[in-house]
Each structure stands twice: as structure tokens, then as C-alpha cells.
């Protein structure tokens, strides 16, 4: 007997169809393909996998096309997939066991979590999940209705029930490149417009239309749709929590925190047994400067996920990131902001233990460790997380060490690599500088120029560092010509005048390029070329660069160095916004509240919309000052006074 029929509708899917069909080999007894007009190799690929192919004239109705595929299915069970979806190769035994043991029932279909990869490229880690009913028994009258985001139904018979199961489907269809190729947005909107004209939109349709508007970056239209959907549904609907999260995140994104908080407390609270509720609360607290409350909420989110895992319950409601990665990353940011470095490093380590292939986390952690620990201690710490005998893991550590200019670490990890010929040209320049190989640095050539401006700037930084290290201007000129970018040419001219001609440069020009020049000073510091670093700072003695260096040292726990630079800037009245905030929070943490208020007040004079600063200002201000800062906050954010925790805080502050 035919156990499982995989039913699909496709058009021009040659790029991804093979992956999908390969993923069901071994569990699908037949593959039904309804083709709506492919002009590429889609049909040929389907034939290679033994699929049964049926041509169908597209009628702007997904349900009709889906039902055509069901009409040809002979299996006991039907699994519906799209070409940009696939099953996990390690899950086949679970699928087979389920299909053999489960008894088909006419009133029951099965809802599976679809893991959506939503980044720009296949390797990016942006993920969301959505429950979708895709598995159901055949020959029970179950079919699709609604022309878009089609839903299963039993027609006029008894209501179809949905049962959640843990078998997963993976989806990459809404990655940006993929959507551009398929023009899905325009196609879907045309169907929605037809439904709106016919006045046939249900609450679920308004939700899916909101998703479509959100994808098209039409936020206001998306919000209206989400609101309409939420008011027409209940928490029992499988999609309702996703609608809430879309609504809350869009309000938050657009600075309407009063609305995002209202929906959080009114509706998301119903899901308080999931991490999402606590993480979203924490983000609101943090955004408005209530850091202690934010920390408590993030810790509660992590604990909630851990407790659900222990009870073998679903760990997340909508998005797995909210159960661990997001709250932990937010904790790291807050602790660094509050200068509680030990806690920040503790949680960074937790992130790395969860996923040791995350280069951003590894870079941030090792960068801090390199300025606060000895190389031997760092290596010992990393050896507990990574296996240097694993080529991929060792290569990652080697490259991170190169980026951070850590010669001791580079030498250690290089010993375990079988070859170095697979490192890119940027890392080759870094390696030559770090290992003091001037001839190699001189001889390296760029095989092909990348048009990315940031890449060109990174190459230029390495060329300047090498030119200053070996007092060699010729190679810098050669690479500048190859990179062929006006800003790079201008930057090279600045370096040449300052360091090789001992002539002055217009201050306005230095200000314009201060961020790029800071990158050079930072790299000189990292590779311990301290004499060149001091020379660079003396010649580029510009407040913009000094502020960036001071704030960089502050984040690395190099407090004495940071304070030296801050003192210079303070005497010159050149502290920028970030420097003022760092000094304000630092003095508040040390108990010097009058100094904290002075720095933070100056910061909001520069940026009155910096909403996260008012809490600390009001909290630490004298009784005479409090009302002034409360009035200033209300003037900037009159709508935020209605947020419950803000309202309570302001009322208590007035009474203090």
C-alpha cells in the first residue's frame, strides 16, 4: 500500500527543487507535482526523482492548485511541501515511525513547526518558526480553501481539528534573494487585492495580509491588518501569537512603545509561560533605561525556557531566539553598558557554549579577554570549548586571532593547521604584518577587486598599518590605485601628508574621515605597535578620533586609559554623546550621583530623544532637579507617560 504521498505545486523551481525532493527520498512512496507553467528545468528535475507530473493552468488560486495535487494522490497520508522547503536528513526515522503508528482520523490534521530562515544568505542564522498544518489522512474529504495562505477544511462536514506534532519542515523561501527572484510579494498582493474587492477576508486573512505588507516595508498598513486580525480572533487560534508578536514588534520598531507595551501586557501576558513574554518585557524596560528590571526579565525568560525543556514542553512560542540567544545577548549589552564586565563575559561564554561557530560572539569575547588576560589563560579557556584538532574550529580561532592582531594566539593555532593557503587576501595581509614578514606583505597582490566599499576600507587599513610599520609608502600607493575609490585615495593622501611629509591637513578633512582613521589607530594598538600608535594620535589629535578611542578602551575594561582620554576631552569640552553616556553611567555605578547627573544631562542636551537616559537622570537627581527632568521627559515623550511602569516611576519620583 502507498503510505505517503508528497504533494507539491511548482513553477520555475530548478534552483531548489532538487534539495526538496532529495530530502523526502526514503519516506515518500510517491511525489505528485502540479506544474503551473515552468519554463526552466523544473520538470526534468522532478522526472529524475520519479515524480508524477501534471500540468495545470494557474488561476490565481493556491487552494485550487493544491486540490488538483490532492486529486492525484494515492497514499494513505498526504504531506504538502513547497519547493523551497525540505525535511531534515536526520528526521526520517521519526517520520516513518509516526506514519506507521498513527491511525488516520477523518476529523484530524497535523500541525508542524516550519523553521523559517529569513536572512539574506543561506548561512545566516536569522530564524523564526510558524505552525503550519501540512500532514493529513487521504480519502477523508480534507481539502484546501482560500486562494492565498490556503487552509485545510472538511467543507460542510464536522470541524477539522489540528494536532501539534514535533516533526519539522525547513523553509528558505522568504530569504531576500529568493523573494526577489520569485516576485512573491507582487503575486501575493494581487491575490489579496482580489479578495479585498470581494470582501472575503477572514481574521486569518488579515493576519497574512499584515505579513505581506510587513515584508513590503509598508508598516502602517501592516499594523492596521494585524490590529484587525487580532480583534477578530482569540488566543485559541494557532496563528494568534504570531500576529501578536508581529503587532508588538512593528509598534516597537516605529517608536510607539505605549502601543507595543499595551499589547504586551493585555494579550501577550496570556502566554506568560513562554520566554517571548519575558524577553519582550525586558526589551521595553531596557529601551527606557530600567536596566535592573530588564535584567530580571531576561533572566526570567532564560529560566522559563529551561523549565519548559526539563518538562519536555515546547520551548518557544514563536521564535527560538527569544528563549536564549536574544535575552542573553541583551544581558551582555546591559552588563557591558553598566561596566559589570564579569557578568558580561559570563553570558558571552554561555552564548559561545551554545554555538561555538558564532564568529561575532567569539570575536567580542576574545577581544575583551586579550586586553584583560594572559595569552596562556585565553588559550586554556578556549581549549575547553574548541577542539584544535578539528580543522574548521582551529581555522575559526586562527582567523579571529588574526583579526584581533594577537600574535601569540596566531602562532599557537597555526601549529594545528595543515595549510594556510585557504585564507583570504585580507587575512594574508594581516598575517604578514603580524608575523613581521615585510617581503611577503610587499609581494601580495589582490587577485580580484571586491566592489564592496567596506572590504576596500579594510584592505586599506592593513596597507596603512604596514606602511607605517615598515616606513614604506610605495606599496600603499600601488594598492590605493588598484582599489580605485575616491575616499581611499583621499585617505592615502592624508596619511602621506601627516606621516611622510610632516605637513598639515585641513581639520574639516580630518573630521570627515575620523572614523576611518580611528580604524588605523585601533589596529596599531591591537598589534602592539605602541610607538606608531602614539605617533598616530599625536598627528591626528582630533576629538572625533579621541572620543572613539576612549569609548573603545572603556568597552574593553581598560578604564584607566579611557579616563585619561576622557579627561583630555573634558578639559577641551569635546566629549561626544557616547563619551558623556559612558561617563554618566560609570559615575552612577560608582555612587557619584551628582557627577552622573551632570554628564547625562549634557548627553540629553545633545540628543533629547535618548529615552534610555531619563530614568537614571530622574533617579539620581536631587529633589529640586527631579521635576525639571520629569518635565523634560514628558515634553519629549508625552505618550510614554501612559506606560504602566513609567507612570508608576514618575509618580514615585515626584513624591520623593
Amino acid at each position: 500500500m502507498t503510505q505517503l504521498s508528497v504533494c507539491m505545486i511548482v513553477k520555475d523551481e530548478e534552483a531548489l527543487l532538487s534539495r526538496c525532493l532529495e530530502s523526502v527520498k526514503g519516506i515518500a512512496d510517491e511525489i505528485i507535482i502540479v506544474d503551473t507553467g515552468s519554463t526552466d528545468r523544473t520538470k526534468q528535475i522532478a522526472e529524475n526523482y520519479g515524480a508524477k507530473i501534471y500540468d495545470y493552468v494557474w488561476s490565481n488560486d493556491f487552494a485550487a492548485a493544491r486540490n488538483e495535487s490532492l486529486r492525484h494522490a494515492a497514499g494513505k497520508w498526504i504531506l504538502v511541501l513547497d519547493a523551497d522547503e525540505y525535511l531534515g536528513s536526520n528526521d526520517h526515522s521519526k517520520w516513518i515511525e509516526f506514519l506507521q503508528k498513527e491511525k488516520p482520523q477523518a476529523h484530524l490534521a497535523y500541525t508542524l513547526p516550519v523553521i523559517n530562515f529569513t536572512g539574506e544568505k543561506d548561512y545566516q542564522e536569522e530564524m523564526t518558526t510558524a505552525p503550519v498544518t501540512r500532514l493529513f489522512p487521504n480519502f477523508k474529504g480534507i481539502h484546501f480553501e482560500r486562494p492565498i495562505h490556503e487552509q485545510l477544511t472538511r467543507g460542510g462536514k464536522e470541524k477539522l481539528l489540528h494536532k501539534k506534532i514535533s516533526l519539522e519542515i525547513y523553509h528558505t523561501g522568504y530569504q531576500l534573494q529568493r523573494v526577489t527572484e520569485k516576485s512573491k510579494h507582487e503575486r501575493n498582493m494581487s491575490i489579496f487585492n482580489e479578495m479585498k474587492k470581494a470582501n472575503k477576508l477572514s481574521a486569518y486573512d488579515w493576519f497574512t495580509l499584515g505579513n505581506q505588507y510587513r515584508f513590503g516595508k509598508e508598516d502602517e498598513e501592516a499594523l492596521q491588518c494585524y490590529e484587525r486580525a487580532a480583534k477578530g480572533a482569540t488566543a485559541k487560534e494557532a496563528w494568534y501569537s504570531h500576529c501578536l508578536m508581529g503587532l508588538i514588534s512593528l509598534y516597537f520598531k516605529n517608536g510607539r512603545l505605549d502601543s507595543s507595551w499595551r499589547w504586551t501586557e493585555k494579550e501577550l501576558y496570556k502566554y506568560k509561560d513562554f520566554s517571548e513574554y519575558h524577553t519582550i518585557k525586558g526589551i521595553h524596560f531596557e529601551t527606557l533605561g530600567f536596566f535592573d528590571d530588564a535584567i530580571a526579565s531576561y533572566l526570567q525568560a532564560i529560566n522559563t525556557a529551561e523549565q519548559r525543556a526539563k518538562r519536555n514542553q515546547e520551548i518557544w512560542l514563536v521564535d527560538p531566539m527569544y528563549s536564549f540567544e536574544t535575552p542573553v545577548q541583551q544581558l551582555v549589552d546591559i552588563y557591558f553598558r553598566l561596566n559589570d564586565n564579569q557578568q558580561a563575559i559570563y553570558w558571552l561564554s554561555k552564548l559561545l557554549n551554545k554555538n561555538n561557530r558564532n564568529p561575532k560572539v567569539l570575536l567580542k569575547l576574545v577581544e575583551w579577554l586579550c586586553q584583560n588576560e594572559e595569552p596562556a589563560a585565553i588559550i586554556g579557556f578556549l581549549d575547553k570549548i574548541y577542539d584544535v584538532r578539528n580543522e574548521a574550529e582551529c581555522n575559526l580561532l586562527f582567523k579571529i586571532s588574526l583579526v584581533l592582531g594577537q600574535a601569540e594566539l596566531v602562532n599557537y593555532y597555526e601549529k594545528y593547521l595543515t595549510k594556510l593557503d585557504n585564507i583570504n587576501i585580507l587575512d594574508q595581509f594581516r598575517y604578514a604584518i603580524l608575523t613581521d614578514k615585510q617581503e611577503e606583505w610587499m609581494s601580495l597582490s589582490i587577485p580580484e577587486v571586491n566592489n564592496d566599499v567596506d572590504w576596500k576600507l579594510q584592505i586599506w587599513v592593513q596597507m596603512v598599518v604596514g606602511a607605517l610599520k615598515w616606513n614604506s609608502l610605495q606599496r600603499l600607493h600601488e594598492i590605493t590605485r588598484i582599489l580605485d575609490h575616491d575616499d581611499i585615495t583621499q585617505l592615502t593622501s592624508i596619511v602621506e601628508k601627516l606621516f611622510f611629509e610632516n605637513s598639515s591637513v585641513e581639520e574639516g578633512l580630518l573630521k570627515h574621515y575620523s572614523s576611518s582613521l580611528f580604524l588605523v589607530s585601533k589596529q596599531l594598538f591591537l598589534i602592539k605597535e605602541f610607538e606608531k600608535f602614539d605617533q598616530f594620535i599625536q598627528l591626528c589629535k582630533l576629538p572625533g578620533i579621541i572620543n572613539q578611542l576612549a569609548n573603545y578602551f572603556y568597552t574593553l575594561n581598560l578604564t584607566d586609559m579611557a579616563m585619561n582620554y576622557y579627561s583630555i576631552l573634558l578639559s577641551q569640552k569635546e566629549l561626544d554623546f557616547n563619551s558623556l553616556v559612558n561617563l554618566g553611567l560609570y559615575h552612577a555605578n560608582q555612587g557619584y550621583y551628582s557627577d552622573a547627573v551632570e554628564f547625562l544631562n549634557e548627553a540629553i542636551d545633545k540628543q533629547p530623544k535618548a529615552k534610555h537616559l531619563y530614568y537614571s537622570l530622574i533617579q539620581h537627581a536631587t529633589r529640586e532637579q527631579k521635576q525639571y527632568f520629569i518635565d523634560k521627559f514628558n515634553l519629549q515623550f508625552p505618550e510614554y507617560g501612559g506606560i504602566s511602569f513609567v507612570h508608576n516611576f514618575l509618580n514615585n519620583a515626584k513624591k520623593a
Side-chain angles (χ1 to χ4, degrees):
M1 179 183 178
T2 304
Q3 179 84 331
L4 177 66
S5 297
V6 172
C7 293
M8 306 174 64
I9 57 173
V10 300
K11 180 183 177 182
D12 295 336
E13 297 286 2
E14 66 176 11
L16 291 174
L17 186 59
S18 293
R19 182 185 65 181
C20 176
L21 299 184
E22 187 69 29
S23 77
V24 299
K25 277 176 59 176
I27 63 170
D29 295 289
E30 67 171 3
I31 298 170
I32 306 296
I33 297 284
V34 168
D35 189 281
T36 61
S38 294
T39 58
D40 62 2
R41 296 178 55 253
T42 294
K43 288 185 180 181
Q44 181 183 336
I45 293 169
E47 288 174 355
N48 292 341
Y49 283 88
K52 299 175 182 177
I53 304 169
Y54 302 91
D55 291 322
Y56 181 80
V57 178
W58 176 246
S59 59
N60 240 24
D61 188 326
F62 279 94
R66 292 282 188 209
N67 290 333
E68 176 65 14
S69 70
L70 305 188
R71 191 169 69 84
H72 298 285
K76 177 181 175 183
W77 294 96
I78 290 176
L79 172 64
V80 173
L81 289 178
D82 288 331
D84 46 19
E85 297 172 338
Y86 58 98
L87 306 185
S89 58
N90 296 325
D91 294 340
H92 281 194
S93 59
K94 292 193 294 183
W95 278 91
I96 293 171
E97 181 181 4
F98 177 85
L99 295 172
Q100 289 177 345
K101 289 185 176 181
E102 192 76 1
K103 181 181 178 181
Q105 299 183 64
H107 65 279
L108 191 61
Y110 300 86
T111 299
L112 297 76
V114 176
I115 312 298
N116 298 294
F117 294 92
T118 58
E120 294 187 14
K121 299 177 182 177
D122 287 342
Y123 58 78
Q124 292 189 336
E125 295 181 347
E126 296 177 58
M127 291 193 311
T128 60
T129 63
V132 180
T133 305
R134 292 292 191 83
L135 181 67
F136 52 93
N138 200 3
F139 312 119
K140 304 293 185 183
I142 299 174
H143 62 280
F144 286 96
E145 65 177 0
R146 314 205 69 74
I148 188 168
H149 296 291
E150 58 281 8
Q151 296 290 290
L152 288 170
T153 180
R154 297 181 69 199
K157 301 178 182 179
E158 184 182 346
K159 184 178 180 180
L160 183 66
L161 301 180
H162 300 255
K163 179 180 178 181
K164 286 186 177 182
I165 57 175
S166 60
L167 298 171
E168 295 172 336
I169 297 173
Y170 297 91
H171 175 235
T172 58
Y174 280 90
Q175 289 178 304
L176 297 183
Q177 181 181 359
R178 179 79 179 131
V179 174
T180 301
E181 292 171 357
K182 297 295 293 183
S183 300
K184 285 186 176 181
H185 180 61
E186 292 81 1
R187 177 202 64 194
N188 291 352
M189 284 306 301
S190 69
I191 300 174
F192 275 123
N193 288 333
E194 290 178 10
M195 294 172 67
K196 286 171 74 175
K197 288 177 184 177
N199 198 25
K200 291 183 177 179
L201 293 180
S202 66
Y204 174 76
D205 293 325
W206 284 112
F207 162 59
T208 56
L209 180 55
N211 290 339
Q212 205 64 54
Y213 275 125
R214 186 181 183 185
F215 175 79
K217 301 189 186 306
E218 299 176 70
D219 290 358
E220 194 56 44
E221 290 80 1
L223 282 167
Q224 292 175 16
C225 291
Y226 285 148
E227 288 260 13
R228 192 159 180 173
K231 290 174 181 177
T234 68
K236 293 180 180 179
E237 304 283 356
W239 53 269
Y240 184 71
S241 59
H242 294 259
C243 181
L244 276 182
M245 291 293 285
L247 191 60
I248 291 167
S249 62
L250 266 190
Y251 272 132
F252 184 88
K253 172 192 169 188
N254 287 277
R256 296 160 67 176
L257 271 64
D258 52 327
S259 295
S260 59
W261 180 257
R262 185 179 70 251
W263 279 98
T264 299
E265 285 296 84
K266 177 186 173 185
E267 293 296 325
L268 195 61
Y269 173 78
K270 296 173 182 176
Y271 303 96
K272 62 182 182 297
D273 292 334
F274 286 91
S275 296
E276 277 87 342
Y277 171 69
H278 303 286
T279 299
I280 293 296
K281 279 186 67 176
I283 290 171
H284 280 82
F285 287 136
E286 181 181 356
T287 302
L288 289 166
F290 290 67
F291 296 135
D292 289 341
D293 295 298
I295 289 170
S297 290
Y298 294 140
L299 292 174
Q300 182 63 47
I302 297 164
N303 181 63
T304 297
E306 290 175 348
Q307 294 305 313
R308 294 189 69 86
K310 288 178 181 178
R311 295 192 294 266
N312 291 319
Q313 295 175 312
E314 289 180 281
I315 297 176
W316 59 81
L317 178 68
V318 171
D319 189 338
M321 299 297 286
Y322 284 104
S323 62
F324 184 79
E325 281 81 359
T326 297
V328 173
Q329 186 59 67
Q330 297 304 117
L331 283 172
V332 169
D333 292 344
I334 290 179
Y335 283 127
F336 271 133
R337 184 182 289 180
L338 297 178
N339 211 230
D340 190 343
N341 290 280
Q342 294 305 315
Q343 281 294 327
I345 295 305
Y346 169 79
W347 286 107
L348 265 180
S349 302
K350 287 277 192 181
L351 272 178
L352 201 61
N353 276 294
K354 174 95 172 178
N355 177 13
N356 70 0
R357 298 296 180 91
N358 188 324
K360 290 182 180 179
V361 173
L362 178 61
L363 180 69
K364 192 168 187 176
L365 179 60
V366 176
E367 184 176 30
W368 190 92
L369 290 174
C370 286
Q371 302 305 326
N372 293 274
E373 302 288 346
E374 293 297 320
I378 299 169
I379 290 169
F381 170 79
L382 293 174
D383 279 349
K384 296 176 182 177
I385 303 173
Y386 296 92
D387 182 1
V388 292
R389 295 165 298 181
N390 181 301
E391 189 82 9
E393 294 188 2
C394 190
N395 193 50
L396 175 62
L397 292 166
F398 176 77
K399 288 188 174 184
I400 291 293
S401 303
L402 271 181
V403 170
L404 295 175
Q406 299 301 310
E408 295 93 337
L409 299 187
V410 166
N411 292 334
Y412 176 78
Y413 293 117
E414 184 183 357
K415 293 184 300 184
Y416 294 95
L417 293 174
T418 56
K419 56 182 179 179
L420 295 180
D421 56 2
N422 63 337
I423 63 174
N424 61 39
I425 185 61
L426 181 57
D427 285 337
Q428 289 178 51
F429 280 120
R430 289 172 173 147
Y431 179 76
I433 292 169
L434 203 57
T435 55
D436 204 24
K437 296 179 180 178
Q438 182 180 1
E439 290 186 8
E440 184 175 325
W441 177 81
M442 290 285 292
S443 63
L444 286 171
S445 60
I446 302 175
E448 185 177 344
V449 176
N450 188 325
N451 288 326
D452 182 73
V453 177
D454 182 62
W455 178 86
K456 290 184 177 184
L457 181 60
Q458 290 183 63
I459 290 287
W460 178 82
V461 168
Q462 298 307 315
M463 297 314 300
V464 173
V465 169
L468 296 177
K469 178 181 175 73
W470 292 304
N471 199 32
S472 174
L473 189 60
Q474 177 186 350
R475 190 66 179 132
L476 176 59
H477 277 306
E478 291 172 358
I479 297 297
T480 298
R481 284 193 295 271
I482 293 171
L483 295 176
D484 188 26
H485 190 276
D486 290 344
D487 287 339
I488 300 295
T489 302
Q490 187 66 263
L491 281 163
T492 296
S493 176
I494 291 172
V495 170
E496 182 175 5
K497 287 179 180 178
L498 288 175
F499 292 93
F500 295 90
E501 296 178 0
N502 201 25
S503 58
S504 61
V505 175
E506 181 189 343
E507 186 174 337
L509 203 59
L510 287 173
K511 283 184 177 179
H512 180 73
Y513 289 109
S514 62
S515 293
S516 299
L517 294 169
F518 160 71
L519 294 177
V520 176
S521 65
K522 173 183 170 182
Q523 194 63 28
L524 288 169
F525 174 80
L526 286 174
I527 66 172
K528 299 180 174 62
E529 287 285 341
F530 297 127
E531 185 177 336
K532 295 294 183 182
F533 170 79
D534 291 337
Q535 181 189 5
F536 192 93
I537 299 305
Q538 287 301 316
L539 292 173
C540 297
K541 195 160 44 180
L542 200 70
I545 297 176
I546 304 302
N547 271 289
Q548 289 180 80
L549 278 170
N551 293 325
Y552 177 65
F553 292 145
Y554 182 82
T555 62
L556 293 180
N557 198 37
L558 301 176
T559 310
D560 290 343
M561 294 183 66
M563 292 302 164
N564 286 336
Y565 283 117
Y566 286 141
S567 297
I568 295 170
L569 293 164
L570 179 61
S571 66
Q572 298 173 349
K573 297 183 178 180
E574 293 285 1
L575 288 164
D576 69 8
F577 173 77
N578 290 327
S579 296
L580 288 165
V581 172
N582 284 341
L583 284 169
L585 294 179
Y586 175 80
H587 282 85
N589 294 335
Q590 300 298 316
Y592 303 124
Y593 298 130
S594 61
D595 291 329
V597 169
E598 185 177 343
F599 286 122
L600 294 175
N601 185 33
E602 192 174 342
I604 63 168
D605 281 343
K606 290 181 180 290
Q607 292 190 23
K609 293 294 184 182
K611 46 187 169 285
H612 64 290
L613 300 182
Y614 286 88
Y615 173 83
S616 292
L617 263 173
I618 296 167
Q619 184 184 37
H620 299 309
T622 63
R623 179 176 296 180
E624 294 74 20
Q625 293 173 314
K626 285 185 187 294
Q627 189 59 54
Y628 169 77
F629 291 127
I630 290 172
D631 291 342
K632 201 166 186 176
F633 175 82
N634 287 330
L635 179 66
Q636 293 297 327
F637 310 102
E639 67 279 14
Y640 290 176
I643 297 174
S644 57
F645 65 88
V646 175
H647 176 79
N648 293 336
F649 169 70
L650 294 180
N651 279 347
N652 291 332
K654 290 176 184 178
K655 298 173 185 175

